[in-house]
Amino acid sequence: MSEPASLSADAEPDPIKAIPLRHPGRWIAAVVVVVLFGLFAYGAATNPAYGWGTYGRYLFDTRISQGVWFTLQLTVYSMIIAVILGVLLAVMRLSPNPVLRSAAWVYLWVFRGTPVYVQLVFWGLIPSIYKTVALGIPFTVQFATFDLQALYTAFWFAVVGLALNEAAYMAEIVRAGINSVGEGQMEASVALGMSWSQTMRRTVLPQAMRVIIPPTGNEVISMLKTTSLVAAVPFTGDVYGRARDISGANFEPIPLLLVASTWYLAITSILMIGQFYLERYYSKGASRQLTGRQLRALADAQAPDATADPRANENGRI
């Protein structure tokens, strides 16, 4: 009597036929969204006010292409300066020196508390406020004097204005990333004989990058769009400035706005792809979600050995 019982215990249960729940509300919502999008696309395609012919004619215009190049330069140069200055400000915020902490706090208070457009206007007026800048020992010897009105270049003043504003936000991002790493990590690195620079390079920063990269990617994208405000300096060589100049000549602002928006979307999409791969690289080992290969290896490790004697369990129960 015991043998049939053991066989029935070893037999696999019948698979359960699971019937998925139906969600008609999801399908109705999807149909409504698709219909609305189709109506909008059809209306935009047939509306002559959009000026699609003008849009196609100026999308790859040489002046627009030069504006795209200047926009990329503004973004890259400003972010490089902002990251370097942001790291310095973050270190000052974490410093035990109260003077450095206070100076960094005042910087962040000023540049985060005033609009970036207003700051750019001030940078455009710098040559009028400070006509000359002298380098030397105050009230004694002057080694060099620079005439800002003669050296004035709207492009570089725009870069400096954007960078100084962005550095205030990057400082908080870097500070949050460094604070996210436990103190035990640094203590363990010091115990292993690492210097401070080795600890930061090998232990702290690789772990902090998981916190720093996502908001930094967002800041780069935001900086790309903020370059459209450099007309306040004034600098009109960016893509939006070029589109606005062309629309002022042909009196068709709508298609030129669409041209500038298309280029902003294209560059932003590329930046988002790069951000995705950077986040995935620096998040290695941080995610608890197993990959498909890891799940298969775990299942194979827990599965019974197929080569084992199937009567082993039965003999063990007899």
Side-chain angles (χ1 to χ4, degrees):
M1 294 298 292
S2 61
E3 184 175 354
S6 62
L7 291 177
S8 62
D10 293 337
E12 295 183 357
D14 295 333
I16 299 175
K17 185 178 181 181
I19 300 176
L21 295 176
R22 291 180 173 84
H23 301 279
R26 296 179 182 177
W27 290 101
I28 295 174
V31 170
V32 170
V33 170
V34 171
V35 170
L36 291 177
F37 179 78
L39 291 174
F40 174 78
Y42 176 77
T46 56
N47 191 339
Y50 283 98
W52 294 112
T54 305
Y55 169 84
R57 186 165 62 253
Y58 286 102
L59 183 61
F60 297 102
D61 187 84
T62 303
R63 290 167 290 180
I64 297 296
S65 300
Q66 292 176 349
V68 172
W69 174 241
F70 276 116
T71 298
L72 290 174
Q73 291 185 76
L74 285 169
T75 303
V76 172
Y77 295 154
S78 300
M79 284 306 303
I80 290 175
I81 298 174
V83 169
I84 296 173
L85 185 56
V87 172
L88 178 61
L89 289 169
V91 173
M92 292 172 63
R93 284 292 307 273
L94 298 173
S95 172
N97 189 322
V99 176
L100 295 180
R101 282 203 315 270
S102 301
W105 185 88
V106 170
Y107 182 97
L108 269 61
W109 174 60
V110 172
F111 282 92
R112 294 173 65 189
T114 55
V116 61
Y117 187 86
V118 175
Q119 296 175 26
L120 291 174
V121 171
F122 267 104
W123 279 103
L125 296 174
I126 284 293
S128 299
I129 301 174
Y130 301 101
K131 296 180 175 58
T132 59
V133 174
L135 298 180
I137 301 175
F139 309 110
T140 55
V141 181
Q142 295 181 356
F143 301 113
T145 303
F146 300 96
D147 186 357
L148 291 183
Q149 292 182 333
L151 297 175
Y152 176 75
T153 302
F155 174 82
W156 290 110
F157 274 86
V159 168
V160 172
L162 292 172
L164 293 181
N165 176 265
E166 183 60 33
Y169 297 93
M170 286 303 306
E172 292 298 282
I173 292 173
V174 174
R175 185 174 67 90
I178 294 175
N179 286 337
S180 67
V181 181
E183 295 181 359
Q185 300 289 331
M186 298 188 66
E187 294 174 356
S189 300
V190 173
L192 291 174
M194 293 186 185
S195 63
W196 184 87
S197 60
Q198 291 175 332
T199 300
M200 294 297 295
R201 186 174 66 254
R202 300 179 181 179
T203 304
V204 177
L205 287 179
Q207 297 181 68
M209 292 300 286
R210 293 198 297 265
V211 178
I212 295 174
I213 287 296
T216 301
N218 293 334
E219 292 299 316
V220 173
I221 295 173
S222 177
M223 174 63 72
L224 174 71
K225 295 178 290 186
T226 307
T227 57
S228 61
L229 300 177
V230 294
V233 173
F235 177 73
T236 59
D238 63 305
V239 62
Y240 174 69
R242 295 296 176 89
R244 187 181 55 186
D245 292 343
I246 295 173
S247 65
N250 61 11
F251 302 103
E252 294 186 75
I254 296 177
L256 270 301
L257 285 175
L258 292 175
V259 168
S261 300
T262 300
W263 280 107
Y264 282 122
L265 283 172
I267 301 172
T268 300
S269 301
I270 296 174
L271 293 176
M272 292 174 65
I273 294 173
Q275 178 185 355
F276 168 77
Y277 283 104
L278 278 176
E279 289 182 15
R280 191 172 69 173
Y281 174 80
Y282 283 105
S283 64
K284 290 180 180 179
S287 176
R288 296 184 179 181
Q289 184 178 1
L290 299 179
T291 63
R293 180 182 301 178
Q294 292 172 331
L295 289 173
R296 287 193 298 269
L298 184 61
D300 293 340
Q302 294 180 350
D305 190 358
T307 61
D309 188 357
R311 296 174 297 178
N313 293 334
E314 180 182 348
N315 294 335
R317 286 193 296 269
I318 295 177

